[in-house]
């Protein structure tokens, strides 16, 4: 079995592969919770582990040590590189491109094998363009729904509502008649507008000859805008397998 980890600043997304089939997975908020969750996988027999981390080197090293101790395996960590599997990093300083973002676009190109636009909807929303020859052309970053919502809650005294109200507000797209509806639907319109501009730019580059990938927790909020897009929540893991092969 292979244990794969996507370590964000606050959460760790994990899955266990058994002969390329997913035997278990989830999202946890600590190393202790991770080890406990992985141990609940039926017939667990971890023999290899690979991970991507956007945490500090010290935090990542502690996590690697915990994994090695708990499961008795070595851990392969994704690292910044100029190119991998035919994809060239488009940043002037390739080490400055976030590893999770890099692996997502590598994963997209691995699946498409042609020009592609990778849109990731998490705390931040990112867009990355990869040409038919694998050259990463760069991308864009803007606040995602969580950041937009939190900024308005933090800096506007009269904007106060709970998460349940936020969820209910997104059930409709009509102009809001409560603060929660107005904020949530306004933020959603901004995010959808971002998507439209990315699609327009992709068409300027490639006409209709490109593929769109959607990933991240809020991807479903825009999936209707791109009906032919491929919604792949584990796109980072696809890229991780490319960047950190075991054979």
């Amino acid at each position: 079995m292979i244990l794969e980890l996507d370590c964000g600043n606050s959460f760790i997304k994990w899955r266990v592969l058994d002969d390329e089939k997913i035997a278990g997975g989830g999202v946890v908020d600590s190393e202790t919770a991770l080890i406990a969750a992985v141990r609940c996988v039926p017939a667990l027999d971890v023999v290899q582990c690979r991970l991507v981390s956007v945490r500090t080197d010290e935090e990542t090293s502690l996590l690697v040590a915990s994994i090695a101790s708990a499961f008795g395996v070595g851990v392969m960590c994704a690292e910044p590189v100029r190119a991998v599997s035919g994809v060239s990093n488009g940043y002037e300083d390739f080490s400055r491109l976030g590893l999770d973002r890099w692996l997502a676009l590598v994963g997209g190109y691995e699946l498409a094998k042609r020009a592609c636009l990778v849109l990731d909807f998490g705390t931040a929303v990112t867009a990355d363009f990869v040409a038919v020859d694998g050259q990463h052309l760069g991308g864009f970053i803007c606040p995602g729904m969580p950041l937009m919502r939190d900024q308005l809650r933090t800096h506007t005294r009269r904007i106060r509502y709970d998460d349940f109200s936020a969820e209910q507000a997104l059930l409709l797209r009509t102009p809001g008649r409560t603060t929660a509806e107005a904020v949530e639907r306004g933020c959603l319109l901004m995010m959808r507008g971002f998507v439209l501009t990315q699609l327009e730019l992709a068409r300027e580059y490639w006409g209709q000859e490109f593929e769109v990938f959607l990933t991240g927790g809020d991807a479903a909020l825009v999936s209707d805008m791109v009906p032919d897009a491929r919604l792949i929540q584990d796109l980072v893991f696809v890229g991780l397998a490319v960047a950190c092969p075991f054979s």
Side-chain angles (χ1 to χ4, degrees):
M1 290 181 169
I2 297 174
L3 173 61
E4 297 183 323
L5 307 175
D6 177 6
C7 308
N9 290 304
S10 300
F11 298 98
I12 301 172
K13 186 175 183 179
W14 67 276
R15 70 179 189 180
V16 172
L17 299 181
D18 185 7
D19 194 23
E20 299 187 357
K21 295 180 180 179
I22 299 176
V27 179
V28 295
D29 59 4
S30 68
E31 297 174 19
T32 301
L34 169 67
I35 292 170
V38 173
R39 282 177 170 161
C40 290
V41 174
L44 182 68
D45 182 24
V46 176
V47 296
Q48 295 170 312
C49 177
R50 56 190 167 212
L51 68 78
V52 54
S53 174
V54 297
R55 302 183 175 192
T56 66
D57 291 343
E58 181 179 1
E59 290 172 326
T60 301
S61 295
L62 290 173
L63 176 60
V64 167
S66 295
I67 295 297
S69 175
F71 302 109
V73 296
V75 180
M76 184 182 297
C77 299
E79 297 181 352
V81 292
R82 173 60 69 187
V84 65
S85 191
V87 183
S88 300
N89 192 314
Y91 262 31
E92 293 178 0
D93 179 356
F94 69 87
S95 66
R96 299 294 295 173
L97 177 62
L99 275 173
D100 51 350
R101 188 173 151 206
W102 166 242
L103 292 182
L105 69 91
V106 168
Y109 187 77
E110 177 71 14
L111 296 175
K113 295 301 184 185
R114 63 172 181 156
C116 59
L117 168 62
V118 178
L119 299 170
D120 191 339
F121 300 90
T123 303
V125 175
T126 62
D128 283 287
F129 297 77
V130 185
V132 65
D133 62 355
Q135 178 62 53
H136 174 224
L137 304 180
F140 299 93
I141 304 173
C142 75
M145 289 289 288
L147 278 179
M148 287 190 283
R149 177 188 300 124
D150 290 347
Q151 284 298 301
L152 284 169
R153 283 174 169 175
T154 300
H155 297 290
T156 307
R157 291 182 180 178
R158 292 184 178 271
I159 294 181
R160 295 289 184 272
Y161 56 90
D162 56 28
D163 291 340
F164 177 76
S165 298
E167 292 175 4
Q168 293 299 302
L170 290 174
L171 296 178
L172 295 175
R173 304 286 172 83
T174 55
R177 301 183 64 184
T178 67
T179 298
E181 291 176 352
V183 170
E184 291 299 313
R185 295 172 192 176
C187 291
L188 177 60
L189 286 177
M190 292 188 70
M191 187 169 74
R192 290 169 70 89
F194 177 85
V195 172
L196 288 176
T197 60
Q198 307 314 306
L199 294 172
E200 289 173 0
L201 182 55
R203 293 186 187 109
E204 290 178 13
Y205 280 137
W206 306 307
Q208 300 299 322
E209 299 301 316
F210 66 96
E211 193 153 357
V212 181
F213 291 91
L214 306 178
T215 190
D218 285 330
L221 294 176
V222 301
S223 59
D224 63 300
M225 302 175 64
V226 202
D228 295 330
R230 298 173 68 175
L231 177 58
I232 302 180
Q233 292 295 353
D234 292 333
L235 194 56
V236 168
F237 285 140
V238 175
L240 179 61
V242 173
C244 297
F246 289 121
S247 59

